[in-house]
């Protein structure tokens, strides 16, 4: 049985979440206070441009980039009598697959749900430039592309998802017990409002009618306020934003298979305890406050794994390695024997390297949240049975990934192509920015990531310092300016949190992303 733990660490301006399965890091998420996730946000937007040739429109949301709205996802008030025939699709990338296979009802609220119109009026009849519309972000901006939008709003609760513009009642297919599915559907049929559809989420398995009713009442209040505020809100912009990362994890990911939840921030621990009291005293018992001489993530080796997951080269235990390169169009992964020379013959050496590499590749794809088109260049194998063995093993490893992945057989060039659903930036793009010294060809730690790493180092030094000592931090000139100007409020909060004063000093000899922290007698 898989032992599952969720670690939640909050520091100045940043929340990080790690999921461990049998002690292995399988997922890592970051959310920063100044840059909270856009996914799922509901906005009042204005139609900036209608594109009849593409049957789409650009919507101004008040963000840096306009959103993109397909005609399939525009609510047509004249077609509402056809809602009962609408299929549910989990994500825009799945639309083309909907006619080939019935998609599973969603069990996570991270990705909004929308119906798929089989036919309807052209977009130029539905939208005009200057029209105000309520839309929801289904995919965050990626690279040069703006956010993807839907007009079919979905609002998540703990047990249910409410769909104001649908009449469908669905139960997550991950609830396999047919009697339980029927029970939940009967309850929802009794308590659902006259208008709107409802999806029962996986975590609702075993929930009481009161659980579901309370959850639905809360969601309907949110929806009622949204409708009222749409006309009241004069300017375009955000109308509703989901919980922050920590509470979203509790709501969406904490199920009976999670053995323990560790939190290192007292205020967050109290907040999560209060929220969990609303729906599960059993799960609340698994929530623990972490304390120790090392930080939570250091204690579990998370910092080391994250550093490895943002490196271009990943070494294998045998001495081989893989190279991971992200581009705008696709992600390439190259397998190399490196220092591994094998023990038998060349054919066996290549097979063993590929077999070891495929496990690491599948793990890195999931951990780094790599998405879109991925091309893997395994080492060429001259024996057909070895190629078949590698492909079969790789396919099995990819099945462990909860995100939808489609893999294609090894091509004549020895390449394996796969696609993986993508709704947000990869881990490396979240934690790193373009290097100004190489014009974006390489990667360098972003200023924000540097700052938060510095704050954690200060807290670590503070724990080891004697009473009455202050901290002195030496920084390169550009980072000293950034920390003292853009992060001034966080510095003040950090001093309060540590109970010590902190002074910044410039050292022009330090490398671009280095720093030094010392405890100093006052």
């Amino acid at each position: 049985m898989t032992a599952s733990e969720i670690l939640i660490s909050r520091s100045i301006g940043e929340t990080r979440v790690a999921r461990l399965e049998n002690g292995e890091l399988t997922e890592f998420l970051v959310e920063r206070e100044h840059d909270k996730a856009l996914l799922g946000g509901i906005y009042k937007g204005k139609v900036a441009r209608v594109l009849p040739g593409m049957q789409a429109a650009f919507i101004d949301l008040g963000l840096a980039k306009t959103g993109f709205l397909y005609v399939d996802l525009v609510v047509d008030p004249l077609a509402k009598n056809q809602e009962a025939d609408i299929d549910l699709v989990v994500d825009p990338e799945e639309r083309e697959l909907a006619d080939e296979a019935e998609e599973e009802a969603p069990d996570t609220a991270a990705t909004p749900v929308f119906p798929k119109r089989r036919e309807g009026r052209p977009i130029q009849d539905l939208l005009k430039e200057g029209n105000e519309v309520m839309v929801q972000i289904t995919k965050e901006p990626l690279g040069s592309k703006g956010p993807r939008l839907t007009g079919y709003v979905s609002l998540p609760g703990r047990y249910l998802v409410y769909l104001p513009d649908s009449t469908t009642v669905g139960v997550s297919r991950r609830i396999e017990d047919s009697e339980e599915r029927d029970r939940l559907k009967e309850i929802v049929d009794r308590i659902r409002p006259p208008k709107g559809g409802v999806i029962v989420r996986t975590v609702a398995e075993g929930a009481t009618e009161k659980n579901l009713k309370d959850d639905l009442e809360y969601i309907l209040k949110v929806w009622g306020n949204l409708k009222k505020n749409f006309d009241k809100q004069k300017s375009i912009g955000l109308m509703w934003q989901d919980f922050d990362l920590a509470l979203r994890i509790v709501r969406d990911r904490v199920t009976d298979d999670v053995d323990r939840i560790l939190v290192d921030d007292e205020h967050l621990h109290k907040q999560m305890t209060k929220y969990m009291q609303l729906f599960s005293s059993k799960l609340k018992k698994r929530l623990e406050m972490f304390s120790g001489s090392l930080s939570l993530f250091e204690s579990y080796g998370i910092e080391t794994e994250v550093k490895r997951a943002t490196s271009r080269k990943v070494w294998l235990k045998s001495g081989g390695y893989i190279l991971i390169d992200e581009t705008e169009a696709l992600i390439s992964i190259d397998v190399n024997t490196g220092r591994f020379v094998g023990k038998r013959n060349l054919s066996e050496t290549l097979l063993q390297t590929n077999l070891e590499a495929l496990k690491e590749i599948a793990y890195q794809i999931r951990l780094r949240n790599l998405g879109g088109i991925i091309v893997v260049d395994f080492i060429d194998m001259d024996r057909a049975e070895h190629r078949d063995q590698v492909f079969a093993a790789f396919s099995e490893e990819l099945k462990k990934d909860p995100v939808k992945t489609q893999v294609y057989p090894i091509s004549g060039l020895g390449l394996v192509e796969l696609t993986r659903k993508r709704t947000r930036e990869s881990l490396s793009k979240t934690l790193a920015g373009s290097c100004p010294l190489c014009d974006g060809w390489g990667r360098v730690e972003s200023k924000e990531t540097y700052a938060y790493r510095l704050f954690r180092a200060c807290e670590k030094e503070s724990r080891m310092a004697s009473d009455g000592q202050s901290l002195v931090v030496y920084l390169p000139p550009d980072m000293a300016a950034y920390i003292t100007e853009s992060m001034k409020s966080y510095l003040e909060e950090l001093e309060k949190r540590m109970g010590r004063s902190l002074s910044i000093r410039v050292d022009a000899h330090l490398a671009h992303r280095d720093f030094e922290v010392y405890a100093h007698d006052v």
Side-chain angles (χ1 to χ4, degrees):
M1 184 177 177
T2 302
S4 181
E5 295 177 290
I6 293 177
L7 314 182
I8 304 178
S9 176
R10 176 171 285 179
S11 56
I12 305 298
E14 182 185 55
T15 300
R16 301 183 298 163
V17 175
R19 186 181 184 111
L20 279 68
E21 294 177 4
N22 292 330
E24 182 181 70
L25 179 65
T26 58
E27 190 172 17
F28 183 81
L29 302 169
V30 180
E31 185 172 85
R32 286 160 182 171
E33 203 170 279
H34 71 282
D35 189 27
K36 288 190 176 180
L38 299 175
L39 188 66
I42 298 174
Y43 286 75
K44 181 173 185 174
K46 182 177 289 187
V47 179
R49 190 180 175 193
V50 178
L51 307 172
M54 295 181 66
Q55 282 300 293
F58 286 112
I59 310 296
D60 186 0
L61 308 173
L63 301 174
K65 298 173 183 175
T66 55
F68 192 75
L69 179 64
Y70 280 115
V71 65
D72 290 357
L73 310 179
V74 178
V75 177
D76 185 353
L78 299 183
K80 290 195 173 183
N81 60 341
Q82 301 173 12
E83 286 179 340
D85 296 325
I86 289 171
D87 293 328
L88 284 174
V89 183
V90 176
D91 185 88
E93 293 179 355
E94 310 254 348
R95 289 187 304 116
E96 62 270 22
L97 302 175
D99 293 330
E100 300 174 12
E102 187 176 5
E103 292 299 321
E104 176 180 303
D107 88 273
T108 174
T111 303
V113 185
F114 58 81
K116 175 181 180 291
R117 285 172 50 231
R118 295 194 181 280
E119 59 182 30
R121 296 188 291 159
I123 197 163
Q124 58 267 34
D125 291 348
L126 296 171
L127 296 177
K128 306 294 182 185
E129 289 187 14
N131 285 168
E132 293 181 336
V133 290
M134 183 188 295
V135 290
Q136 188 168 26
I137 293 180
T138 60
K139 182 191 272 188
E140 293 190 350
L142 297 170
S144 61
K145 299 176 182 177
R148 287 278 192 90
L149 308 174
T150 178
Y152 290 94
V153 169
S154 62
L155 288 167
R158 166 67 177 174
Y159 303 110
L160 306 171
V161 178
Y162 177 59
L163 313 173
D165 295 293
S166 175
T167 56
T168 303
V169 174
V171 180
S172 170
R173 297 238 169 105
R174 293 184 187 178
I175 299 177
E176 298 177 354
D177 188 312
S178 59
E179 291 185 4
E180 176 65 1
R181 292 173 61 83
D182 291 341
R183 182 187 76 87
L184 291 169
K185 193 171 186 304
E186 287 174 6
I187 293 174
V188 172
D189 282 333
R190 285 197 300 271
I191 67 173
R192 61 181 293 207
K195 182 182 178 183
V198 177
I199 298 296
V200 181
R201 307 179 67 191
T202 305
V203 292
E205 188 168 10
T208 66
E209 182 167 342
K210 186 178 186 306
N211 291 148
L212 301 180
K213 190 174 182 180
D214 290 347
D215 199 38
L216 184 58
E217 285 179 357
Y218 165 76
I219 302 171
L220 290 175
K221 284 181 182 177
V222 174
W223 174 238
N225 290 332
L226 271 172
K227 288 193 296 182
K228 291 177 185 177
N229 294 335
F230 183 78
D231 292 326
K232 290 181 181 179
Q233 184 170 311
K234 301 302 180 183
S235 60
I236 59 173
L238 182 67
M239 296 181 63
W240 176 86
Q241 189 174 45
D242 206 351
F243 290 146
D244 62 20
L245 177 60
L247 289 184
R248 288 203 311 274
I249 290 296
V250 172
R251 183 191 65 197
D252 300 339
R253 305 289 186 88
V254 177
T255 53
D256 287 339
D257 66 337
V258 174
D259 302 293
R260 187 164 64 152
I261 309 150
L262 278 173
V263 184
D264 66 0
D265 182 86
E266 188 173 350
H267 175 73
L268 181 59
H269 180 267
K270 290 179 180 177
Q271 191 180 19
M272 293 175 66
T273 301
K274 185 177 179 180
Y275 180 71
M276 294 179 82
Q277 283 174 340
L278 298 175
F279 59 81
S280 178
S281 57
K282 180 174 68 175
L283 291 177
K284 190 184 74 171
K285 294 177 183 178
R286 302 177 192 178
L287 179 65
E288 300 177 21
M289 178 68 194
F290 174 82
S291 60
S293 56
L294 294 175
S295 70
L296 173 59
F297 277 22
E298 284 178 317
S299 299
Y300 280 79
I302 305 299
E303 304 287 9
T304 301
E305 278 300 300
V306 171
K307 185 174 181 180
R308 188 166 173 261
T310 53
S311 300
R312 179 174 180 258
K313 180 182 285 188
V314 179
W315 286 98
L316 305 174
K317 291 180 180 179
S318 65
Y321 64 88
I322 61 176
L323 293 175
I324 302 175
D325 290 298
E326 298 183 50
T327 69
E328 186 80 12
L330 54 81
I331 294 158
S332 67
I333 302 176
D334 186 36
V335 181
N336 295 274
T337 54
R339 298 189 292 263
F340 182 50
V341 294
K343 295 181 180 180
R344 296 183 182 179
N345 54 53
L346 177 60
S347 182
E348 287 296 323
T349 298
L350 301 183
L351 174 63
Q352 292 306 315
T353 303
N354 283 333
L355 289 174
E356 183 185 14
L358 66 86
K359 293 182 180 180
E360 186 65 36
I361 290 169
Y363 171 67
Q364 290 293 331
I365 286 174
R366 182 179 176 184
L367 180 58
R368 295 175 185 234
N369 191 38
L370 301 178
I373 300 172
I374 303 172
V375 178
V376 182
D377 185 9
F378 286 106
I379 302 171
D380 289 340
M381 296 167 286
D382 55 3
R383 297 173 61 176
E385 61 267 30
H386 286 178
R387 292 195 294 272
D388 293 342
Q389 185 178 345
V390 167
F391 178 74
F394 191 37
S395 299
E396 283 301 309
E397 285 295 322
L398 290 172
K399 288 179 182 178
K400 299 176 184 178
D401 190 344
V403 177
K404 185 175 180 64
T405 303
Q406 187 166 357
V407 59
Y408 300 89
I410 297 178
S411 71
L413 296 175
L415 305 175
V416 174
E417 300 168 3
L418 59 136
T419 60
R420 186 174 186 268
K421 191 169 68 176
R422 178 174 62 177
T423 57
R424 55 186 169 85
E425 294 280 20
S426 66
L427 183 61
S428 67
K429 290 185 178 179
T430 300
L431 299 181
S434 296
C435 174
L437 302 179
C438 63
D439 197 25
W441 283 98
R443 307 296 295 173
V444 64
E445 186 181 51
S446 68
K447 289 183 177 180
E448 292 89 348
T449 301
Y450 173 96
Y452 297 126
R453 181 165 62 90
L454 170 64
F455 295 154
R456 293 194 294 273
C458 289
E459 290 189 282
K460 179 179 179 180
E461 186 67 26
S462 178
R463 288 193 293 268
M464 296 185 292
S466 303
D467 291 341
Q469 287 187 314
S470 62
L471 295 186
V472 179
V473 179
Y474 292 88
L475 306 175
D478 63 326
M479 294 312 301
Y482 176 78
I483 295 292
T484 54
E485 294 172 9
S486 300
M487 293 286 188
K488 184 178 180 181
S489 62
Y490 289 152
L491 281 177
E492 294 171 353
E493 188 178 345
L494 179 62
E495 288 182 316
K496 291 178 183 177
R497 184 179 174 116
M498 296 187 303
R500 322 176 176 270
S501 62
L502 184 153
S503 59
I504 303 292
R505 297 180 184 176
V506 176
D507 186 346
H509 299 290
L510 284 173
H512 186 56
R513 286 294 188 263
D514 281 352
F515 58 75
E516 295 176 356
V517 182
Y518 300 99
H520 182 268
D521 290 325
V522 178

